[in-house]
Amino acid sequence: SFDVVLQLDTMQHLRNTEKMLRETARVGRVGIVSFPNFAHWPNRLRVLTGRMPVTRVLPYQWYDTPNIRVGTFADFEVLARKDGLRILEAFGIEGGRPVRRWPNLRASVAVFKFERG
């Protein structure tokens, strides 16, 4: 077992994200995950124009991306509740700064600290 298990910028690359999340909670007293927030407003705007976003955080074309998942800040909150995890802290990051107000819209990266519920 570990005090803290970090899963930084990995969730979008995994086939079985939920299994990884449960395993993180099992072996660690606390888990910390981060991932690109697909609901960031520039991404939403790009999709509204009919195209997939290409940004600093999501730098690949849709046909050439290593990301097999796209998730949002709000999606992770739902998944954590479903899997019985207690979120201890959550915020977004944009331009190297924390975003605590409306992170699902305003942050390009989501960060969550959690423990087993």
Side-chain angles (χ1 to χ4, degrees):
S1 68
F2 299 91
D3 289 335
V4 178
V5 176
L6 301 174
Q7 295 286 347
L8 306 179
D9 204 25
T10 59
M11 288 181 39
Q12 70 274 15
H13 301 292
L14 301 175
R15 293 220 180 273
N16 199 333
T17 303
E18 196 170 10
K19 183 177 179 182
M20 178 278 300
L21 193 59
R22 285 193 303 263
E23 188 67 6
T24 298
R26 185 186 72 78
V27 301
R29 187 176 54 80
V30 171
I32 298 175
V33 298
S34 70
F35 55 91
N37 176 30
F38 193 72
H40 189 215
W41 74 267
N43 298 341
R44 293 178 187 205
L45 186 60
R46 185 72 171 159
V47 169
L48 279 174
T49 68
R51 299 289 310 277
M52 291 299 290
V54 177
T55 66
R56 182 179 49 78
V57 176
L58 297 166
Y60 304 98
Q61 293 292 334
W62 68 270
Y63 55 84
D64 194 31
T65 181
N67 300 318
I68 60 173
R69 306 236 181 272
V70 290
T72 71
F73 193 96
D75 287 332
F76 186 85
E77 291 174 317
V78 171
L79 179 60
R81 277 193 303 274
K82 176 184 174 288
D83 283 352
L85 303 175
R86 188 165 70 93
I87 296 173
L88 303 172
E89 187 175 3
F91 59 92
I93 297 175
E94 180 53 40
R97 294 201 161 115
V99 176
R100 297 192 185 278
R101 187 172 184 197
W102 300 334
N104 197 50
L105 180 64
R106 297 179 52 231
S108 59
V109 176
V111 180
F112 288 86
K113 178 180 177 183
F114 62 91
E115 67 183 6
R116 282 171 274 172

